[in-house]
Amino acid sequence: MKYYFICFAFFLFGISEAQDCSFTFSGELSDFHDGTPISAAAIYIKKLDRYTTSDLDGKFKIENLCKGDLILVISHIGCETKTVNFEVTGDMFKAIALEHHIEELNEVSIKTNISRNETTTAQETVIKSKTLQKYSASNLGDALKEVSGVSSINTGNSIVKPMINGMHSSRLLILNNNVRLQDQEWGIEHAPNIDINSANQISVIKGSGTLAYGGDAIGGIIIINPTQAILKDTLFGRTSIGAQSNGRGYNVSTRLNKNYASGWFANLQASHKRHGDFESPDYVLTNTGLQSSGVTFSAGKKRFESGFELFYSYINNDIGILRASHIGNISDLVTAINTQEPLVVNDFSYDINAPRQEVTHHLVKALYYKRFRNFGKLNLQYDYQNNQRFEFDVRVGADRDKPALDLNLQTHTLSADVILDARDTYKLNFGVLGRYQDNFANPDTGVRRLIPDYERYDFGIYLTSEWDVNDQLTLDAGIRYDFNRIDAKKFYQTSRWEERGYDEDFQDIIIEDLGTQLLTNPIFNYHNVSLSGGMKYTLNTNSYILGNYSMARRPPNPSELFSDGLHHSAARIELGDLRLEQELSNRLSASYAYNNDKLNILFEVFYNHINDFMYLEPVGIEQTIRGAFPVWSYQQTNAALYGADLSVNYKILERWSINNKSAFIKGDDLDNETAIIDIPAFNTRNELTYRNDTWNNFSASLKSEWVFEQNEFPDYNFETFIASTNETVLVDISTPPPAYHLLHFYSDINFNISDKTKLNVALSVNNLLDTNYRSYLNRLRYFADDLGRNVTLQLQLNY
Amino acid sequence: MKTNKYLYLAILSLILVMSCSDDDSNPVPVNEEEVITTLIVSLNPTGVGTPITMESRDLDGDGPDAPVITVSSAFEENMTYTGSLNLLNETVTPAESIREEIEEEDDEHQFFFSSNNGLVSTSYSDIDGDGNPVGLLFTLTTTSAGDGVFTVVLRHEPNKTAEGVSDGDITNAGGETDILVSFPISVE
């Protein structure tokens, strides 16, 4: 970790008579936070071409100064040097508080490739700006796979949900510029609404240990940070343009950052991408095009003692979903599984037709902070999010262009956070949070609501602390309490109400009886306590170990409680359950890290025991006019997930290095003695890189990605009668596809166009050998192969 | 301490935000628009005989109740019937005719008929704008006596030009199944 100290001091000292060069300046440098003296700071007196240093008490003295201008240049180890001007009129003494804090130091760092960890003892991996730039044309879920142990659960190739150690959706918490994303994250086909181009750095934290962000992150936390403001008069920007062969798509992204030494700043970023139908090695994946636009704007004033920020981000995604995945009933699914090619393959097109989804997400944030001497820092934040989701199904007649799903989710959050860092070795952080959320399901769709109208209230309070016991050992601990209240208004079909047995348990929540339908008002309150404790022990200059324990509770989400309807791409009826209770996770983890000039190793293990783990399971078959459908209902069981992640980087020669990232995980359903569904198989990625700085920072790498077959899966296969052939067949929806191996190539080179302008040209080829494969964690694996070869060319101009 | 003031302020304003956004109006029920609850197959003998009506009615749509299937009487041997289909959405009052929607978009729909044990054979009696069959009108012919199942399938967006599809063979039809109903029948 690099420390930056901004140190500046002003000293005026004058002694009476003019022309008499006998004035004395004396000063005292102290830490802003705790008032401790800053010793050994170098003070350069330009006029005299002389140095002096502050003593153990932070004091220093400059003698024999003449009347007139005085320029002092003050620096401290690792500091950005500051120059200050004064006019000497007489002898003077001044006590100066210096800004001496790691966090702030990083905030003033101009270099975007400096990484800043969010935690000390958690299993955290930071993805730097340089790496993120490779994914400019792609999405968040794909970029996160840079971290060993992170995979994704996909619906096709454009709807990519990150998965940390086998957990996804509501079990992950995503923060965009310190705002917890509220974008209907419960659904597997709801990808996070993040424009990857707006991110400057992403931290992936495995496990729930970071309680300041939330108490229900059973899987982990993803923290997305935009470019930080710097205290310098500067204007810089970046524009990238890319084109890719698969999908015949392009992407444009640009950003401009303006900063002033006074602390004022403004950033503007915009991006746009457009793809047509993607292609597997053998056929066009009809209706998989996408169009995405995003804008981010922020402005404010950032001073050491106080500051504010206004932040706005907008993203609109229009994503086509493979046409062949829209099926009517089980016999269609059987046909799809048995047919190698998708049932609908048309010529390449940029058109995005039904089925498709169109999601717009607005995020507004206002932040104010103030620092108090000898105390700490207070943050006050308000944020508002508006998430509008339309899903268009294949429909007939007048409903053809009408969305089948129209949900609007609005969230207001107000939070206050105090960091007490007055003492060097001890840090305390506490805060409160209140949130109000309103979901509106538009009835004009002509389709019964999948998720009902609801209002949700959250209140959270937390306390975390960090203690540097000695040079080797750091301990941290935290506790958090959350209260969640969900107040919904939901229609149930009377037949469903009775079938679920709600007429016995929930008869009192009916507020209106419409004959075939009942309007109900379920209200649920949840109290959650979360705990965490961790330690970091530095073994020597090259290695350290981490240990962490966390306990987290997650209340059921609206989908788990209220889901009620037919899912077209899965040909199944999904039902929530009003009786679900919170799930409770107890997670133990440990890491070992070794770093030297040539070798970097990070080895992580974890064991996550989850009581009352919520999951979907087939529970029966129901007959409709479209034939029979399996019914999947949310159930609870006790589960254990455990595994190990390895990341190794080794510099074989001056210019050659190899990198390995491997992840192994198992998920056991302890009650039913079977495996948990959708657990990633063992995968290992090996990369050989050649880098030559003398050739314009040229680099080229070849990456092998090997994903094994998942042999442990629950058997949810069932038999169905196919009327058209008068046969009963087994519907194999459980067996994972075979293992696959892919090769990827990446190369880039940098040109200095002028003093401040740099051009980066990157060429990459994904799936170099055009291999046919299907991924177990892709929900459309029954219908089509995954993507074939993709050649991407990207030009990036930094100025 | 000064900090407390901010905290109180934060909590207070939060309560304010929460209290002004409450409204107690109830959501309105959704008018389900393209639900097909009812399929009625009407068969009239071309000779002397009894007209037959077969019905599948599922008033809760995708709900847990199974469709109620009725067949008015048995078929006669060696008889040709003229068949006609009617489709309704009975979740709304008055019932909405889905048949009209299919007639309007007849090029995107096709019915397929099948039976086991070779009990009956069918042929189309109507065509869409492209000259391909639809199946709202058809003829049904019985031969010898026996018991079995008669199945009606409606496919949305089938490939009508694929091999065999215009002759009523569902194998290459593709598309999505909107209706799949099996009626128990007997030919006497």
Side-chain angles (χ1 to χ4, degrees):
Chain A
M1 177 68 69
K2 204 166 177 181
Y3 294 79
Y4 280 80
F5 304 120
I6 309 170
C7 321
F8 44 146
F10 298 75
F11 299 95
L12 278 181
F13 216 94
I15 292 182
S16 54
E17 288 89 59
Q19 312 311 327
D20 184 7
C21 293
S22 60
F23 298 127
T24 304
F25 294 77
S26 50
E28 187 179 330
L29 306 178
S30 62
D31 187 327
F32 183 93
H33 302 273
D34 55 10
T36 56
I38 300 239
S39 62
I43 301 122
Y44 175 60
I45 308 110
K46 211 166 182 180
K47 201 189 247 174
L48 308 177
D49 191 20
R50 212 177 76 196
Y51 278 94
T52 185
T53 50
S54 57
D55 63 16
L56 283 175
D57 299 322
K59 290 181 175 166
F60 68 94
K61 200 178 267 182
I62 309 161
E63 289 171 326
N64 302 326
L65 285 168
C66 308
K67 193 170 181 175
D69 284 342
L70 173 68
I71 300 165
L72 295 179
V73 181
I74 304 180
S75 56
H76 196 251
I77 316 153
C79 276
E80 202 167 283
T81 307
K82 277 278 168 183
T83 309
V84 220
N85 272 306
F86 286 104
E87 204 193 336
V88 179
T89 54
D91 283 353
M92 262 187 87
F93 168 82
K94 221 169 185 185
I96 301 298
L98 294 188
E99 298 157 7
H100 170 190
H101 194 264
I102 304 161
E103 184 196 354
E104 302 322 310
L105 299 174
N106 282 305
E107 281 173 6
V108 299
S109 140
I110 189 164
K111 294 189 180 106
T112 49
N113 58 2
I114 297 266
S115 63
R116 185 175 89 193
N117 279 48
E118 301 282 340
T119 62
T120 311
T121 71
Q123 290 181 325
E124 176 180 0
T125 309
V126 174
I127 308 174
K128 296 177 191 170
S129 175
K130 181 88 177 69
T131 313
L132 290 176
Q133 287 160 25
K134 285 190 200 175
Y135 293 91
S136 186
S138 188
N139 52 52
L140 178 73
D142 285 328
L144 293 176
K145 290 186 206 163
E146 285 283 335
V147 179
S148 162
V150 178
S151 43
S152 69
I153 187 146
N154 294 16
T155 303
N157 56 290
S158 299
I159 302 171
V160 182
K161 294 208 78 173
M163 193 182 215
I164 301 178
N165 289 151
M167 306 269 89
H168 59 88
S169 300
S170 289
R171 294 189 180 96
L172 298 188
L173 208 151
I174 299 177
L175 284 128
N176 185 8
N177 193 12
N178 205 35
V179 177
R180 181 176 177 166
L181 209 59
Q182 299 284 344
D183 60 346
Q184 314 185 26
E185 69 287 346
W186 51 72
I188 276 189
E189 65 286 357
H190 300 189
N193 289 286
I194 293 286
D195 177 5
I196 185 94
N197 293 298
S198 70
N200 188 55
Q201 178 189 307
I202 298 179
S203 278
V204 174
I205 301 168
K206 296 169 183 170
S208 62
T210 322
L211 296 181
Y213 298 123
D216 51 351
I218 283 173
I221 301 175
I222 295 160
I223 299 171
I224 294 144
N225 283 321
T227 314
Q228 299 286 324
I230 50 173
L231 291 170
K232 197 174 170 182
D233 285 314
T234 177
L235 173 71
F236 60 99
R238 187 168 87 197
T239 299
S240 59
I241 301 170
Q244 64 178 66
S245 64
N246 201 336
R248 303 181 204 175
Y250 67 87
N251 61 291
V252 193
S253 170
T254 189
R255 64 158 73 157
L256 215 63
N257 304 66
K258 177 68 191 155
N259 293 275
Y260 297 92
S262 59
W264 288 95
F265 66 91
N267 305 313
L268 180 67
Q269 178 266 332
S271 61
H272 179 74
K273 64 182 165 200
R274 180 96 167 87
H275 294 291
D277 292 337
F278 287 90
E279 284 165 52
S280 74
D282 298 334
Y283 41 79
V284 174
L285 300 166
T286 295
N287 200 45
T288 53
L290 85 109
Q291 177 160 309
S292 170
S293 309
V295 175
T296 310
F297 175 75
S298 67
K301 189 174 187 182
K302 186 170 213 164
R303 299 289 300 174
F304 179 74
E305 284 186 47
S306 66
F308 71 93
E309 183 195 0
L310 292 170
F311 176 83
Y312 169 72
S313 102
Y314 161 88
I315 182 164
N316 175 277
N317 284 323
D318 191 359
I319 303 175
I321 295 165
L322 183 73
R323 179 63 183 81
S325 72
H326 192 271
I327 51 177
N329 72 355
I330 288 299
S331 56
D332 295 355
L333 180 64
V334 172
T335 317
I337 292 173
N338 294 340
T339 319
Q340 283 308 301
E341 283 207 1
L343 293 164
V344 183
V345 177
N346 298 332
D347 290 340
F348 172 86
S349 160
Y350 283 102
D351 295 345
I352 302 170
N353 298 312
R356 70 184 177 95
Q357 51 177 249
E358 190 182 339
V359 185
T360 309
H361 193 84
H362 299 269
L363 188 161
V364 180
K365 164 188 155 176
L367 167 77
Y368 171 78
Y369 68 86
K370 179 144 180 66
R371 209 176 274 277
F372 300 90
R373 189 181 283 246
N374 288 335
F375 176 72
K377 184 180 175 185
L378 167 76
N379 288 303
L380 290 174
Q381 181 175 311
Y382 164 76
D383 52 79
Y384 166 73
Q385 294 176 76
N386 187 318
N387 186 270
Q388 175 64 50
R389 161 173 285 268
F390 293 110
E391 288 183 12
F392 296 86
D393 252 344
V394 178
R395 301 177 80 171
V396 295
D399 296 329
R400 187 167 290 266
D401 298 318
K402 213 188 250 188
L405 182 95
D406 177 352
L407 292 176
N408 184 266
L409 183 69
Q410 297 188 67
T411 312
H412 301 265
T413 310
L414 200 57
S415 57
D417 176 90
V418 176
I419 300 165
L420 302 181
D421 53 4
R423 286 207 275 157
D424 244 9
T425 56
Y426 194 73
K427 205 164 96 176
L428 209 59
N429 179 199
F430 63 90
V432 291
L433 166 153
R435 181 179 290 136
Y436 167 75
Q437 189 169 74
D438 182 36
N439 185 60
F440 172 68
N442 192 342
D444 297 338
T445 55
V447 175
R448 279 191 315 115
R449 297 170 176 91
L450 201 64
I451 298 288
D453 288 7
Y454 73 81
E455 287 175 310
R456 184 180 154 134
Y457 306 86
D458 296 333
F459 172 77
I461 184 161
Y462 58 89
L463 176 72
T464 67
S465 65
E466 194 180 304
W467 181 31
D468 294 324
V469 181
N470 54 40
D471 284 351
Q472 277 92 47
L473 184 64
T474 302
L475 297 177
D476 70 11
I479 182 165
R480 183 178 172 117
Y481 165 78
D482 284 282
F483 168 75
N484 314 108
R485 178 184 177 91
I486 188 158
D487 180 347
K489 297 253 172 82
K490 175 166 168 63
F491 287 97
Y492 277 93
Q493 290 171 307
T494 311
S495 56
R496 178 67 69 203
W497 184 256
E498 285 162 6
E499 180 270 330
R500 299 259 86 196
Y502 292 158
D503 52 337
E504 285 167 21
D505 298 350
F506 296 99
Q507 201 63 15
D508 55 325
I509 65 170
I510 297 174
I511 51 177
E512 211 177 323
D513 189 340
L514 298 146
T516 56
Q517 286 192 85
L518 300 167
L519 177 61
T520 62
N521 181 204
I523 300 173
F524 297 108
N525 295 319
Y526 301 99
H527 300 275
N528 311 303
V529 175
S530 318
L531 299 171
S532 81
M535 69 102 190
K536 177 179 183 173
Y537 188 78
T538 307
L539 300 168
N540 52 48
T541 49
N542 295 122
S543 55
Y544 62 84
I545 50 171
L546 301 177
N548 209 292
Y549 162 74
S550 55
M551 183 188 96
R553 273 197 178 80
R554 183 180 72 86
N557 64 34
S559 162
E560 287 157 340
L561 289 170
F562 305 124
S563 265
D564 179 7
L566 185 65
H567 229 271
H568 271 286
S569 64
R572 68 192 193 191
I573 292 165
E574 289 185 2
L575 298 177
D577 195 332
L578 295 178
R579 300 180 185 93
L580 295 177
E581 296 290 336
Q582 294 120 299
E583 57 186 27
L584 169 70
S585 149
N586 280 283
R587 187 180 190 271
L588 275 170
S589 65
S591 306
Y592 169 80
Y594 179 88
N595 294 295
N596 72 13
D597 289 351
K598 290 193 153 182
L599 180 65
N600 308 83
I601 299 174
L602 177 63
F603 181 66
E604 300 170 309
V605 291
F606 73 96
Y607 179 84
N608 196 353
H609 187 278
I610 305 174
N611 288 82
D612 298 321
F613 177 78
M614 287 175 252
Y615 69 108
L616 266 175
E617 187 186 70
V619 292
I621 298 265
E622 280 178 6
Q623 294 289 337
T624 76
I625 201 159
R626 262 188 289 231
F629 287 96
V631 179
W632 289 57
S633 163
Y634 279 99
Q635 308 287 314
Q636 293 193 292
T637 185
N638 292 322
L641 289 103
Y642 48 96
D645 303 328
L646 175 70
S647 176
V648 182
N649 199 70
Y650 180 61
K651 215 168 172 181
I652 327 167
L653 292 163
E654 176 73 23
R655 286 168 180 155
W656 293 87
S657 61
I658 49 170
N659 180 291
N660 170 282
K661 282 171 188 154
S662 303
F664 168 79
I665 176 173
K666 275 184 73 136
D668 294 341
D669 178 338
L670 302 173
D671 291 358
N672 302 309
E673 294 181 346
T674 176
I676 290 188
I677 197 166
D678 291 341
I679 293 295
F682 175 76
N683 59 82
T684 179
R685 284 165 285 165
N686 293 283
E687 190 172 12
L688 177 69
T689 306
Y690 174 81
R691 191 183 305 276
N692 191 334
D693 292 347
T694 59
W695 300 350
N696 288 316
N697 288 317
F698 171 82
S699 84
S701 64
L702 189 66
K703 189 196 237 171
S704 130
E705 180 183 354
W706 191 1
V707 179
F708 283 49
E709 180 174 338
Q710 179 57 277
N711 294 316
E712 294 182 5
F713 55 92
D715 185 354
Y716 293 155
N717 295 342
F718 59 95
E719 287 191 334
T720 194
F721 176 74
I722 306 293
S724 52
T725 54
N726 289 305
E727 284 170 353
T728 298
V729 296
L730 182 75
V731 189
D732 184 359
I733 52 164
S734 306
T735 311
Y740 59 89
H741 179 252
L742 307 175
L743 282 180
H744 311 297
F745 173 79
Y746 180 85
S747 175
D748 74 339
I749 190 162
N750 291 283
F751 301 100
N752 288 329
I753 292 182
S754 74
D755 222 21
K756 286 183 172 166
T757 311
K758 284 180 187 143
L759 176 70
N760 172 282
V761 181
L763 175 78
S764 71
V765 187
N766 270 7
N767 194 359
L768 195 66
L769 303 177
D770 215 12
T771 307
N772 287 296
Y773 73 101
R774 295 188 187 204
S775 162
Y776 175 51
L777 296 175
N778 191 336
R779 305 253 289 182
L780 303 189
R781 70 173 197 268
Y782 306 122
F783 308 104
D785 283 347
D786 238 298
L787 294 195
R789 185 185 299 122
N790 183 17
V791 183
T792 309
L793 181 70
Q794 186 164 303
L795 306 179
Q796 184 178 296
L797 206 58
N798 286 285
Y799 45 86
Chain B
M1 204 176 287
K2 207 174 170 185
T3 336
N4 290 339
K5 207 171 74 186
Y6 288 100
L7 289 182
Y8 290 139
L9 198 72
I11 294 163
L12 268 176
S13 29
L14 183 75
I15 292 165
L16 210 68
V17 169
M18 285 182 166
S19 46
C20 21
S21 42
D22 213 40
D23 67 287
D24 277 332
S25 62
N26 285 338
V28 296
V30 170
N31 280 323
E32 286 198 84
E33 279 157 14
E34 347 144 64
V35 174
I36 306 171
T37 59
T38 312
L39 169 71
I40 302 166
V41 186
S42 308
L43 294 156
N44 284 305
T46 48
V48 182
T50 325
I52 299 170
T53 306
M54 301 193 279
E55 280 186 14
S56 170
R57 179 173 276 120
D58 189 357
L59 294 178
D60 73 343
D62 296 336
D65 293 345
V68 178
I69 292 171
T70 54
V71 179
S72 63
S73 63
F75 288 82
E76 284 172 44
E77 281 179 281
N78 300 314
M79 178 67 82
T80 298
Y81 295 83
T82 57
S84 159
L85 300 177
N86 196 12
L87 301 98
L88 298 171
N89 172 10
E90 292 187 277
T91 62
V92 290
T93 333
E96 182 190 1
S97 168
I98 306 291
R99 184 190 160 108
E100 282 171 21
E101 278 190 14
I102 293 174
E103 282 171 339
E104 279 163 24
E105 295 179 350
D106 52 9
D107 56 328
E108 291 181 5
H109 293 89
Q110 187 172 346
F111 289 90
F112 296 89
F113 309 98
S114 65
S115 68
N116 58 351
N117 307 333
L119 277 177
V120 300
S121 61
T122 54
S123 62
Y124 294 108
S125 312
D126 55 358
I127 50 166
D128 64 17
D130 303 325
N132 294 313
V134 183
L136 286 168
L137 301 174
F138 62 101
T139 58
L140 182 149
T141 311
T142 61
T143 46
S144 51
D147 290 334
V149 175
F150 177 67
T151 303
V152 181
V153 175
L154 170 62
R155 283 277 168 93
H156 180 221
E157 296 192 357
N159 180 1
K160 289 198 181 189
T161 54
E163 194 189 340
V165 174
S166 59
D167 299 326
D169 181 357
I170 199 169
T171 316
N172 299 317
E176 297 135 36
T177 307
D178 277 351
I179 289 180
L180 188 155
V181 180
S182 291
F183 298 98
I185 57 164
S186 60
V187 180
E188 289 165 358

Short mmCIF file of all heavy atoms in Angstrom, two decimals, chain A residues 1 26 34 52 77 89 92 104 136 179 203 258 275 286 402 549 582 602 632 653 684 722 750 756 770:
data_model
loop_
_atom_site.label_atom_id
_atom_site.label_comp_id
_atom_site.label_asym_id
_atom_site.label_seq_id
_atom_site.Cartn_x
_atom_site.Cartn_y
_atom_site.Cartn_z
N MET A 1 0.84 -1.21 0.00
CA MET A 1 0.00 0.00 0.00
C MET A 1 0.86 1.24 0.00
O MET A 1 1.83 1.36 0.72
CB MET A 1 -0.91 -0.05 1.24
CG MET A 1 -1.78 1.15 1.42
SD MET A 1 -3.05 1.31 0.15
CE MET A 1 -4.07 -0.10 0.60
N SER A 26 8.80 29.80 13.06
CA SER A 26 8.79 28.48 13.66
C SER A 26 7.40 27.88 13.48
O SER A 26 6.41 28.58 13.41
CB SER A 26 9.20 28.54 15.13
OG SER A 26 8.45 29.53 15.79
N ASP A 34 -5.57 13.14 15.09
CA ASP A 34 -5.39 12.89 16.52
C ASP A 34 -4.44 13.87 17.17
O ASP A 34 -4.13 13.74 18.34
CB ASP A 34 -4.90 11.46 16.74
CG ASP A 34 -3.65 11.15 15.96
OD1 ASP A 34 -3.07 12.10 15.39
OD2 ASP A 34 -3.25 9.97 15.90
N THR A 52 15.21 21.92 6.01
CA THR A 52 15.15 21.67 7.45
C THR A 52 14.13 20.56 7.65
O THR A 52 13.36 20.23 6.75
CB THR A 52 14.79 22.95 8.23
OG1 THR A 52 14.88 22.65 9.63
CG2 THR A 52 13.37 23.42 7.91
N ILE A 77 7.36 11.41 3.82
CA ILE A 77 7.54 10.13 3.13
C ILE A 77 6.32 9.76 2.30
O ILE A 77 5.22 9.65 2.81
CB ILE A 77 7.78 8.98 4.15
CG1 ILE A 77 8.76 9.44 5.23
CG2 ILE A 77 8.27 7.75 3.44
CD1 ILE A 77 8.58 8.72 6.53
N THR A 89 6.54 39.25 7.14
CA THR A 89 6.45 40.61 7.66
C THR A 89 6.97 40.71 9.07
O THR A 89 7.11 41.79 9.61
CB THR A 89 4.98 41.11 7.63
OG1 THR A 89 4.20 40.15 8.34
CG2 THR A 89 4.47 41.28 6.22
N MET A 92 6.89 34.90 13.41
CA MET A 92 5.57 34.30 13.60
C MET A 92 5.68 32.83 13.95
O MET A 92 6.66 32.18 13.63
CB MET A 92 4.73 34.43 12.33
CG MET A 92 3.77 35.60 12.38
SD MET A 92 2.67 35.59 10.97
CE MET A 92 1.38 34.54 11.56
N GLU A 104 -7.54 9.12 2.46
CA GLU A 104 -7.50 10.38 1.74
C GLU A 104 -6.34 10.41 0.77
O GLU A 104 -6.40 11.01 -0.28
CB GLU A 104 -7.36 11.54 2.72
CG GLU A 104 -8.47 11.61 3.74
CD GLU A 104 -9.81 11.25 3.17
OE1 GLU A 104 -10.17 11.82 2.12
OE2 GLU A 104 -10.49 10.38 3.73
N SER A 136 -14.69 -3.49 -22.00
CA SER A 136 -15.49 -2.34 -22.42
C SER A 136 -16.70 -2.75 -23.25
O SER A 136 -17.78 -2.19 -23.13
CB SER A 136 -14.60 -1.39 -23.22
OG SER A 136 -15.30 -0.23 -23.52
N VAL A 179 -23.76 3.05 -3.48
CA VAL A 179 -25.21 2.93 -3.44
C VAL A 179 -25.55 1.46 -3.71
O VAL A 179 -25.12 0.89 -4.71
CB VAL A 179 -25.88 3.80 -4.52
CG1 VAL A 179 -27.39 3.59 -4.52
CG2 VAL A 179 -25.54 5.27 -4.28
N SER A 203 -14.13 -4.05 -6.56
CA SER A 203 -13.66 -4.96 -5.52
C SER A 203 -14.65 -6.09 -5.37
O SER A 203 -15.85 -5.85 -5.32
CB SER A 203 -13.60 -4.24 -4.17
OG SER A 203 -12.42 -3.52 -4.06
N LYS A 258 -12.71 16.63 -15.00
CA LYS A 258 -12.14 17.95 -14.76
C LYS A 258 -11.98 18.13 -13.26
O LYS A 258 -12.93 17.94 -12.49
CB LYS A 258 -13.09 19.02 -15.33
CG LYS A 258 -12.66 20.44 -15.09
CD LYS A 258 -11.42 20.81 -15.85
CE LYS A 258 -10.87 22.17 -15.38
NZ LYS A 258 -9.45 22.30 -15.64
N HIS A 275 -25.27 -4.63 -30.70
CA HIS A 275 -24.89 -5.90 -31.29
C HIS A 275 -26.08 -6.47 -32.02
O HIS A 275 -27.22 -6.29 -31.60
CB HIS A 275 -24.46 -6.91 -30.22
CG HIS A 275 -23.21 -6.54 -29.49
ND1 HIS A 275 -21.99 -6.56 -30.10
CD2 HIS A 275 -22.99 -6.14 -28.23
CE1 HIS A 275 -21.07 -6.19 -29.22
NE2 HIS A 275 -21.66 -5.92 -28.08
N THR A 286 -30.60 -16.67 -33.21
CA THR A 286 -31.60 -15.68 -33.62
C THR A 286 -32.21 -14.93 -32.44
O THR A 286 -32.59 -15.54 -31.45
CB THR A 286 -32.68 -16.38 -34.46
OG1 THR A 286 -32.05 -16.85 -35.64
CG2 THR A 286 -33.81 -15.43 -34.82
N LYS A 402 -47.36 -5.28 -26.52
CA LYS A 402 -47.58 -4.94 -25.12
C LYS A 402 -46.63 -5.75 -24.25
O LYS A 402 -46.45 -6.95 -24.48
CB LYS A 402 -49.03 -5.31 -24.79
CG LYS A 402 -49.68 -4.40 -23.79
CD LYS A 402 -51.00 -4.97 -23.41
CE LYS A 402 -52.15 -4.14 -23.97
NZ LYS A 402 -53.42 -4.63 -23.39
N TYR A 549 -14.62 -15.05 10.11
CA TYR A 549 -15.88 -15.74 10.41
C TYR A 549 -17.00 -14.73 10.23
O TYR A 549 -16.88 -13.58 10.66
CB TYR A 549 -15.89 -16.27 11.84
CG TYR A 549 -17.30 -16.59 12.31
CD1 TYR A 549 -17.95 -17.73 11.84
CD2 TYR A 549 -17.98 -15.73 13.17
CE1 TYR A 549 -19.26 -18.00 12.22
CE2 TYR A 549 -19.29 -16.00 13.55
CZ TYR A 549 -19.92 -17.13 13.08
OH TYR A 549 -21.21 -17.38 13.44
N GLN A 582 -36.22 -16.50 7.26
CA GLN A 582 -34.88 -16.06 6.84
C GLN A 582 -33.92 -17.26 6.77
O GLN A 582 -34.08 -18.21 7.51
CB GLN A 582 -34.27 -15.09 7.86
CG GLN A 582 -34.95 -13.78 7.97
CD GLN A 582 -35.46 -13.58 9.37
OE1 GLN A 582 -36.28 -14.34 9.87
NE2 GLN A 582 -34.97 -12.54 10.00
N LEU A 602 -2.23 -16.59 -4.21
CA LEU A 602 -3.34 -16.34 -3.29
C LEU A 602 -4.15 -17.62 -3.23
O LEU A 602 -4.64 -18.11 -4.25
CB LEU A 602 -4.20 -15.17 -3.77
CG LEU A 602 -5.43 -14.87 -2.92
CD1 LEU A 602 -5.01 -14.44 -1.52
CD2 LEU A 602 -6.28 -13.79 -3.55
N TRP A 632 -42.53 -25.86 -9.82
CA TRP A 632 -41.34 -25.67 -8.98
C TRP A 632 -41.73 -24.70 -7.88
O TRP A 632 -42.23 -23.62 -8.14
CB TRP A 632 -40.18 -25.08 -9.80
CG TRP A 632 -39.59 -26.05 -10.78
CD1 TRP A 632 -40.24 -26.71 -11.76
CD2 TRP A 632 -38.23 -26.46 -10.86
NE1 TRP A 632 -39.37 -27.51 -12.47
CE2 TRP A 632 -38.12 -27.36 -11.93
CE3 TRP A 632 -37.07 -26.13 -10.13
CZ2 TRP A 632 -36.90 -27.96 -12.29
CZ3 TRP A 632 -35.87 -26.72 -10.50
CH2 TRP A 632 -35.79 -27.64 -11.56
N LEU A 653 10.43 -15.75 -16.92
CA LEU A 653 11.59 -15.03 -17.43
C LEU A 653 11.28 -13.54 -17.35
O LEU A 653 10.18 -13.15 -16.98
CB LEU A 653 11.82 -15.42 -18.90
CG LEU A 653 12.27 -16.86 -19.17
CD1 LEU A 653 12.06 -17.20 -20.61
CD2 LEU A 653 13.73 -17.03 -18.78
N THR A 684 -10.42 -24.29 -14.39
CA THR A 684 -9.05 -23.79 -14.27
C THR A 684 -8.70 -22.99 -15.52
O THR A 684 -9.02 -23.39 -16.63
CB THR A 684 -8.06 -24.95 -13.99
OG1 THR A 684 -6.75 -24.39 -13.90
CG2 THR A 684 -8.09 -26.01 -15.08
N ILE A 722 -46.17 -37.50 -24.27
CA ILE A 722 -46.22 -36.67 -25.47
C ILE A 722 -47.39 -37.15 -26.31
O ILE A 722 -47.36 -38.25 -26.87
CB ILE A 722 -44.90 -36.78 -26.27
CG1 ILE A 722 -43.70 -36.45 -25.39
CG2 ILE A 722 -44.94 -35.87 -27.50
CD1 ILE A 722 -43.59 -35.03 -24.92
N ASN A 750 0.85 0.06 -26.90
CA ASN A 750 0.59 1.47 -26.57
C ASN A 750 1.47 2.39 -27.39
O ASN A 750 2.66 2.14 -27.56
CB ASN A 750 0.89 1.73 -25.10
CG ASN A 750 -0.11 1.02 -24.21
OD1 ASN A 750 -1.23 1.48 -24.05
ND2 ASN A 750 0.29 -0.11 -23.66
N LYS A 756 0.79 14.03 -23.66
CA LYS A 756 -0.26 13.58 -22.75
C LYS A 756 -1.26 12.65 -23.42
O LYS A 756 -2.24 12.25 -22.81
CB LYS A 756 -1.01 14.81 -22.21
CG LYS A 756 -0.19 15.57 -21.19
CD LYS A 756 -0.97 16.73 -20.62
CE LYS A 756 -0.21 17.36 -19.47
NZ LYS A 756 -0.75 18.66 -19.10
N ASP A 770 -13.10 -21.85 -32.22
CA ASP A 770 -14.51 -21.96 -32.60
C ASP A 770 -15.10 -23.27 -32.08
O ASP A 770 -15.76 -24.01 -32.80
CB ASP A 770 -14.62 -21.89 -34.14
CG ASP A 770 -15.89 -21.16 -34.55
OD1 ASP A 770 -16.52 -20.53 -33.69
OD2 ASP A 770 -16.24 -21.23 -35.74
#
